[in-house]
């Protein structure tokens, strides 16, 4: 252990501890801006570029960046003397001198780390007036880049390159002209961006934000000729409360339903219903492939890969198109919901699909892109009209003057609001495959699964594997979250080294609980842990915990679809994938 | 610019350069340097080939290409014009000479005229300070160039 003194407090730390972390242990929070540390994932962005975290170290001539300076025996550190404070203010004012001051109308307002710093440091004027760099705004189907607000912390680059290995973003040009941009400064929609939104999730400023669809939703709700229905993804209910000051991991399903009803939605439904449906389709496909494989059919492709994450779908369409025939053909729950809503449910209501507006509340930015894909619309009318993020829903609720915290709990509407415990765990890494295993087990063995909790599939490790015993038949399962980890498993398949029967992949670290549209966790991964825990407790709190037991799903098959993988199912609930590996084009 | 096609032979040569550096990501700058000496410039297509061979993202390659002013994505003109911006030349009016080239050719520094004839670039001291201001066209050196003399230099090559 090393002995050091920070602000006259004597402390002991392990060798290799940074001043920043050492200070934290005694309640001293040194401000940071470029630094980002995702503890449970072992991800750190430490370019030591912004100099916001400078401290004075006795005996050193220059101030030291606390985020990138290790403690030494006998070190004496001062984190807030006048020299340090002045230096930090200068740094901040210099950053602000090349930053638009449109805080009031910025999408990140209230959530912006730069704004918070300016507030905390009591900046009241910006002494340095200089030329401001300007760059065109780039609007893609899901993400807006407003590079004028970029402070070059390069956190987004770290997420996109190191964690996701997508490699869209890089710092380009020099000095005043430097920006973070895709290759050849193309727009995002010309790049191999997956719209996972992880760059948006870590951007400290308004430089990267989601495309906002709240106004379209408000307009639809105000239109008397439209019936407007809403679906909510599983991960939303364990995160939405944070936007209203609740503790991370608060399960707010009942309040969320009430809020949506108060907003004026005609029917409040649940994506979880469609998640149960996904298990029926995907699980059947999985069993079909595995059974044929076990019987020696050499034409079956194994492992089967889950396909409910559109960020992941974009990834393999761009980077592994030669493997387009391996993932399940099942659509994502969002799209299954939309397809059933605009056929089965519209028929039930006796209205035309054009007069039914389907809104989805998603933890995800890739879903914004997904619902705009051509193959998910009929005669130009999309199955899902608008995908709105958890953060956008919070804005909608606040605009409607709803005091979320004191709302009573209400229940989802029927039929498309009923779901099982298997569906709610779709929101976390490991959840989809566990849900599939519960149903596949019973169909495969013809027996009742007594212990529904597959502990071996749970956790937060990047890549996990487990063997599930299907009554004597071992089924090998792999799980990866984060696209960099998915890439590893894909490469193994490509090299013929994969031994799995089935693999679950989610693009975002943690799965959808860590999606690009969720309340920002600012690097505190304990928030993701809390959300995950809340999903598992929501699951165990349900009476029905296997998708095929959902009575409304059974009825849907009886009345409308026939059976899983029927012709109608294929038409409405399955899809196919495209080779999107086209080389980059250049913006002229 | 999008449709420049480089020959199969060039592609192989570029791949060989990457291989000489063990397809090491860390050798990107050296690979770019060698490639630019071979091809003259680094268009998007070439950056993609290099990214693939070194197993890094195209965005990263582009980031490096745009960071160092030495690298260029624009093919040099048939007659590359360089204006010395070293101290001696600068003091003796090199900037006015440059402005005149820009005006007549109607291209900014670092660009090539649409007909592919002339490209414009700036240099550091070329060691001929006694002749300042100095302009070079290809290997030919012009000394004591005045703004008025610019059109004559261009004329020489227009006919060529
Ligand atoms: S959305 Fe994902 S893939 Fe696209 S730039 Fe951001 S991190 Fe990269
Ligand atoms: S876009 Fe955001 S995350 Fe990326 S470098 Fe700029 S400020 Fe940082
Ligand atoms: S993991 Fe979930 S939130 Fe992230 S891209 Fe996939 S579906 Fe969207
Ligand atoms: S936070 Fe330490 S240098 Fe940016
Ligand atoms: S300064 Fe131009 S040749 Fe030396």
């Amino acid at each position: 252990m090393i002995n050091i003194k920070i602000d006259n407090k004597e402390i002991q730390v392990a060798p290799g501890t940074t001043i920043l972390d050492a200070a934290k242990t005694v309640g001293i929070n040194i401000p940071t801006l470029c630094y980002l540390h995702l503890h449970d994932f072992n991800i750190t962005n430490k370019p030591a570029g912004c100099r916001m975290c400078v401290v004075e170290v006795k005996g050193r001539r220059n101030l030291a960046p606390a985020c990138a300076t290790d403690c030494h025996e006998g070190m004496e550190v001062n984190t807030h003397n006048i020299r340090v404070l002045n230096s930090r203010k200068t740094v901040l004012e210099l950053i602000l001198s090349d930053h638009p001051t449109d805080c009031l109308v910025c999408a990140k307002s209230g959530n912006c780390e730069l704004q918070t710093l300016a507030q905390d440091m009591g900046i009241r004027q910006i002494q340095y007036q200089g030329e401001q760099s300007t760059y065109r705004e780039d609007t893609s189907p899901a993400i807006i880049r407003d590079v004028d607000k970029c402070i070059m912390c390069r956190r987004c680059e770290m997420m996109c390159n190191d964690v996701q290995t997508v490699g869209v973003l890089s710092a380009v040009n020099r000095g005043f002209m430097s920006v973070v941009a895709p290759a050849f400064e193309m727009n995002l929609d010309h790049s191999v961006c997956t719209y996972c939104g992880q760059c948006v999730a870590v951007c400290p400023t308004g430089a990267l934000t989601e495309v906002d669809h709240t106004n379209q939703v408000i307009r639809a709700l105000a239109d008397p000729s439209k019936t407007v229905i809403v679906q909510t993804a599983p991960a939303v209910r364990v995160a939405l409360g944070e936007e209203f000051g609740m503790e991370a991991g608060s399960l707010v399903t009942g309040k969320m339903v009430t809020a949506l009803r108060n907003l004026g939605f005609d029917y409040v439904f649940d994506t979880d219903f469609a998640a149960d449906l996904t298990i029926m389709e995907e699980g059947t496909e999985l069993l079909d492939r595995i059974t044929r494989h076990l019987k020696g059919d050499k034409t079956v492709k194994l492992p089967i890969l889950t396909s409910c994450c559109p960020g992941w779908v974009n990834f393999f369409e761009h980077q592994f198109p030669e493997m387009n025939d391996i993932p399940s053909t099942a659509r994502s729950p969002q799209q299954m919901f939309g397809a059933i809503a605009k056929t089965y449910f519209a028929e039930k209501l006796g209205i035309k699909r054009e007069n039914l507006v389907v809104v989805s509340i998603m933890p995800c930015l890739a879903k914004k892109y997904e619902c705009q894909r051509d193959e998910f619309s009929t005669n130009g009318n999309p199955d899902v009209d608008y995908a709105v993020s958890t953060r956008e829903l919070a804005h909608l609720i606040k605009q409607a003057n709803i005091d979320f915290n004191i709302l009573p709990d209400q229940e989802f509407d029927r039929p498309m609001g009923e779901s099982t415990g298997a569906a709610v765990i779709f929101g976390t890494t490991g959840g989809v495959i566990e849900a599939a295993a519960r149903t596949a087990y019973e169909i495969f063995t013809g027996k009742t699964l007594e212990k529904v909790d597959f502990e071996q599939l749970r956790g937060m490790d990047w890549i996990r594997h487990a063997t599930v015993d299907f009554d004597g038949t071992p089924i090998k399962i792999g799980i990866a979250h984060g696209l960099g980890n998915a890439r590893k498993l894909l490469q193994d398949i490509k090299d013929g080294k994969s031994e799995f029967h089935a693999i679950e992949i989610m693009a975002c670290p943690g799965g959808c609980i860590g999606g690009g549209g969720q309340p920002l966790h600012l690097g505190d991964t304990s928030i993701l842990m809390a959300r995950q825990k809340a999903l598992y407790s929501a699951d165990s709190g349900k009476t029905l915990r296997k998708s095929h037991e959902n009575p409304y799903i059974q009825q849907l098959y009886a009345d409308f679809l026939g059976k899983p993988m029927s012709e109608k199912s294929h038409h409405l609930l399955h899809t196919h994938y495209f080779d999107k590996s086209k080389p980059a084009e250049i913006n002229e | 610019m999008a449709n420049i096609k480089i020959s199969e032979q060039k592609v192989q040569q570029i791949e060989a350069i990457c291989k000489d550096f063990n397809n090491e990501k860390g050798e990107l700058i050296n690979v770019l340097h060698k490639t630019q000496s071979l091809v003259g410039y680094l268009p998007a297509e070439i950056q993609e080939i290099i990214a693939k061979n070194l197993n890094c993202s195209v965005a990263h390659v582009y980031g490096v290409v745009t960071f160092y002013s030495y690298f260029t994505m624009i093919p040099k003109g048939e007659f590359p014009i360089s204006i010395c911006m070293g101290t001696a030349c600068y003091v003796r009016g090199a900037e006015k000479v440059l402005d005149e080239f820009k005006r007549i050719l109607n291209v900014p520094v670092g660009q090539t005229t649409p007909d592919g004839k002339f490209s414009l670039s700036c240099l550091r001291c070329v060691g001929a300070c006694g002749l300042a201001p100095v302009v070079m066209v290809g290997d030919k050196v012009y000394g004591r160039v005045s703004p008025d003399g610019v059109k004559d230099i261009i004329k020489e090559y227009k006919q060529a």
Side-chain angles (χ1 to χ4, degrees):
Chain A
M1 289 302 245
I2 296 176
N3 298 292
I4 63 161
K5 236 193 213 176
I6 300 185
D7 292 347
N8 281 322
K9 287 188 186 146
E10 300 198 3
I11 49 173
Q12 284 201 325
V13 294
T17 309
T18 60
I19 298 178
L20 181 70
D21 287 337
K24 232 171 248 164
T25 63
V26 286
I28 297 170
N29 290 325
I30 299 170
T32 54
L33 193 51
C34 64
Y35 178 80
L36 180 75
H37 179 56
L38 302 183
H39 180 74
D40 293 292
F41 299 127
N42 246 324
I43 304 168
T44 313
N45 185 52
K46 201 196 281 190
C50 76
R51 304 272 142 179
M52 190 53 61
C53 63
V54 287
V55 294
E56 190 175 73
V57 177
K58 198 172 168 190
R60 273 214 203 183
R61 203 151 51 89
N62 295 329
L63 298 179
C67 72
T69 309
D70 286 351
C71 297
H72 292 298
E73 180 62 39
M75 204 179 223
E76 285 182 37
V77 177
N78 197 318
T79 73
H80 65 96
N81 65 18
I82 189 133
R83 180 177 171 219
V84 168
L85 290 183
N86 279 340
S87 165
R88 261 184 220 147
K89 270 197 180 164
T90 306
V91 166
L92 190 55
E93 286 186 34
L94 281 171
I95 295 174
L96 293 174
S97 75
D98 185 21
H99 196 90
T101 45
D102 55 2
C103 273
L104 280 178
V105 291
C106 177
K108 209 52 169 284
S109 186
N111 260 329
C112 171
E113 292 177 52
L114 186 62
Q115 189 184 50
T116 308
L117 277 176
Q119 203 175 42
D120 289 354
M121 291 206 208
I123 304 287
R124 288 295 169 266
Q125 60 174 23
I126 297 155
Q127 292 188 35
Y128 307 92
Q129 300 290 344
E131 202 188 335
Q132 297 219 340
S133 47
T134 56
Y135 199 84
R136 67 173 198 277
E137 197 170 283
D138 167 13
T139 303
S140 70
I143 293 170
I144 301 177
R145 289 172 56 237
D146 182 359
V147 179
D148 292 350
K149 292 179 180 160
C150 172
I151 55 161
M152 292 300 282
C153 69
R154 308 178 72 170
R155 289 180 184 181
C156 55
E157 247 188 283
M158 191 257 316
M159 276 325 251
C160 190
N161 300 334
D162 303 346
V163 179
Q164 301 296 59
T165 67
V166 181
V168 168
L169 298 172
S170 173
V172 305
N173 300 328
R174 259 190 312 171
F176 195 58
M177 299 298 292
S178 62
V179 292
V180 169
F184 315 122
E185 290 168 67
M186 295 175 302
N187 286 341
L188 266 188
D189 61 354
H190 284 257
S191 76
V192 292
C193 176
T194 64
Y195 302 122
C196 70
Q198 286 305 310
C199 53
V200 177
V202 298
C203 180
T205 71
L208 294 169
T209 52
E210 70 264 44
V211 174
D212 191 316
H213 287 112
T214 51
N215 281 336
Q216 284 94 321
V217 172
I218 292 172
R219 237 174 280 137
L221 287 169
D223 183 343
S225 69
K226 306 279 189 213
T227 300
V228 188
I229 70 173
V230 65
Q231 56 164 323
T232 61
V236 176
R237 66 206 66 190
V238 294
L240 180 63
E242 291 163 33
E243 291 281 334
F244 300 93
M246 293 183 197
E247 212 180 311
S250 305
L251 184 65
V252 296
T253 321
K255 287 189 186 339
M256 175 180 72
V257 172
T258 310
L260 290 167
R261 216 162 262 142
N262 292 357
L263 279 169
F265 288 100
D266 295 299
Y267 295 88
V268 180
F269 288 143
D270 200 353
T271 312
D272 287 17
F273 171 84
D276 278 334
L277 188 56
T278 304
I279 290 302
M280 299 305 290
E281 295 294 327
E282 202 170 61
T284 307
E285 192 185 354
L286 174 125
L287 271 185
D288 174 62
R289 283 209 219 167
I290 291 180
T291 324
R292 275 164 45 211
H293 168 79
L294 292 174
K295 283 195 186 131
D297 183 344
K298 292 271 179 275
T299 61
V300 261
K301 299 264 187 182
L302 279 181
I304 182 170
L305 308 175
T306 57
S307 56
C308 33
C309 166
W312 152 238
V313 169
N314 292 338
F315 183 75
F316 70 71
E317 285 186 328
H318 283 300
Q319 313 223 6
F320 292 86
E322 69 279 11
M323 290 159 82
N324 273 351
D325 54 345
I326 303 183
S328 160
T329 57
R331 294 183 190 178
S332 73
Q334 158 170 283
Q335 293 308 138
M336 285 202 182
F337 181 98
I340 295 297
K342 291 231 171 155
T343 53
Y344 175 71
F345 187 65
E347 263 168 48
K348 257 186 188 267
L349 292 182
I351 60 174
K352 287 215 217 73
R353 64 178 289 140
E354 287 74 19
N355 290 326
L356 182 69
V357 177
V358 176
V359 175
S360 56
I361 314 291
M362 292 286 145
C364 176
L365 303 189
K367 299 257 169 50
K368 285 180 184 282
Y369 165 77
E370 183 188 38
C371 71
Q372 297 174 43
R373 290 175 79 127
D374 287 341
E375 62 269 32
F376 297 141
S377 70
T378 301
N379 302 327
N381 179 266
D383 292 346
V384 172
D385 293 83
Y386 307 111
V388 163
S389 70
T390 312
R391 293 191 294 264
E392 289 170 84
L393 173 60
H395 286 148
L396 276 171
I397 294 173
K398 287 174 188 170
Q399 274 186 59
N401 314 325
I402 296 169
D403 186 346
F404 189 78
N405 289 275
I406 60 164
L407 286 179
D409 287 351
Q410 290 183 5
E411 300 256 323
F412 286 110
D413 289 308
R414 302 283 183 269
M416 296 174 73
E418 181 66 44
S419 66
T420 70
V424 77
I425 56 175
F426 260 61
T428 171
T429 169
V432 172
I433 206 76
E434 177 168 343
R438 290 180 192 173
T439 289
Y441 178 94
E442 296 206 345
I443 299 176
F444 186 82
T445 63
K447 296 184 179 167
T448 306
L449 178 67
E450 297 302 340
K451 201 180 160 305
V452 292
D453 293 330
F454 288 89
E455 296 292 344
Q456 67 269 46
L457 301 174
R458 299 185 180 182
M460 224 20 134
D461 289 342
W462 278 137
I463 295 179
R464 307 194 291 283
H465 35 86
T467 304
V468 174
D469 178 16
F470 273 23
D471 201 22
T473 308
I475 304 294
K476 289 188 192 144
I477 290 176
I479 296 166
H481 55 127
L483 290 170
N485 304 304
R487 179 188 291 280
K488 289 184 193 145
L489 294 188
L490 270 185
Q491 196 59 47
D492 282 352
I493 301 174
K494 207 171 163 179
D495 299 343
K497 289 194 300 202
S498 184
E499 299 201 322
F500 297 119
H501 293 108
I503 297 177
E504 175 206 280
I505 287 171
M506 295 193 195
C508 296
C512 303
I513 47 172
Q518 292 279 56
L520 302 172
H521 53 66
L522 304 179
D524 182 356
T525 42
S526 72
I527 292 178
L528 298 187
M529 300 298 185
R531 291 177 189 165
Q532 185 183 53
K533 209 166 139 215
L535 283 181
Y536 284 121
S537 70
D539 165 31
S540 51
K542 292 249 187 183
T543 341
L544 298 179
R545 299 184 59 195
K546 300 163 195 158
S547 296
H548 56 285
E549 291 175 347
N550 183 335
Y552 291 89
I553 291 287
Q554 291 167 352
Q555 196 188 340
L556 174 67
Y557 279 108
D559 294 354
F560 187 67
L561 292 169
K563 58 181 187 14
M565 311 264 287
S566 68
E567 208 189 304
K568 200 156 197 172
S569 293
H570 261 289
H571 175 60
L572 291 173
L573 307 178
H574 290 257
T575 186
H576 53 282
Y577 305 110
F578 299 86
D579 179 348
K580 294 195 176 164
S581 63
K582 61 178 185 301
E585 300 156 39
I586 299 187
N587 293 346
E588 292 291 335
Chain B
M1 179 155 141
N3 297 323
I4 301 165
K5 271 269 158 279
I6 60 166
S7 68
E8 192 50 40
Q9 185 204 357
K10 279 264 155 58
V11 174
Q12 280 169 13
Q13 283 173 309
I14 295 166
E15 283 174 346
I17 291 174
C18 294
K19 217 166 183 182
D20 284 346
F21 290 101
N22 293 323
N23 294 330
E24 275 278 348
K25 217 185 283 187
E27 298 284 358
L28 175 60
I29 294 184
N30 289 325
V31 170
L32 289 172
H33 189 101
K34 277 253 157 115
T35 309
Q36 183 162 302
S37 313
L38 174 77
V39 190
Y41 68 115
L42 299 166
E45 204 186 340
I46 286 183
Q47 293 182 39
E48 273 159 18
I49 296 169
I50 292 175
K52 208 184 216 164
N53 280 276
L54 302 192
N55 199 12
C56 61
S57 76
V58 196
H60 177 63
V61 176
Y62 178 75
V64 171
V65 168
T66 53
F67 186 82
Y68 296 98
S69 53
Y70 172 80
F71 295 126
T72 171
M73 288 181 64
I74 294 156
K76 281 237 160 66
E78 192 183 340
F79 305 110
I81 301 174
S82 323
I83 292 108
C84 176
M85 282 286 156
T87 320
C89 293
Y90 189 83
V91 172
R92 292 179 130 192
E95 204 174 11
K96 291 224 168 65
V97 173
L98 173 64
D99 287 345
E100 190 62 6
F101 273 110
K102 285 203 259 189
R103 191 185 67 80
I104 297 181
L105 297 175
N106 197 19
V107 284
V109 174
Q111 301 270 8
T112 303
T113 51
D115 62 4
K117 276 216 145 157
F118 298 102
S119 54
L120 208 53
S121 65
C122 292
L123 290 176
R124 290 290 160 78
C125 176
V126 295
C129 306
L131 296 175
V134 171
V135 169
M136 292 178 68
V137 182
D139 289 337
K140 190 162 173 197
V141 179
Y142 295 80
R144 301 213 174 87
V145 181
S146 67
D148 286 345
V150 167
K151 58 177 181 308
D152 297 328
I153 299 180
I154 294 174
K155 214 190 260 157
E156 243 178 79
Y157 296 92
K158 271 249 158 93
Q159 280 134 19

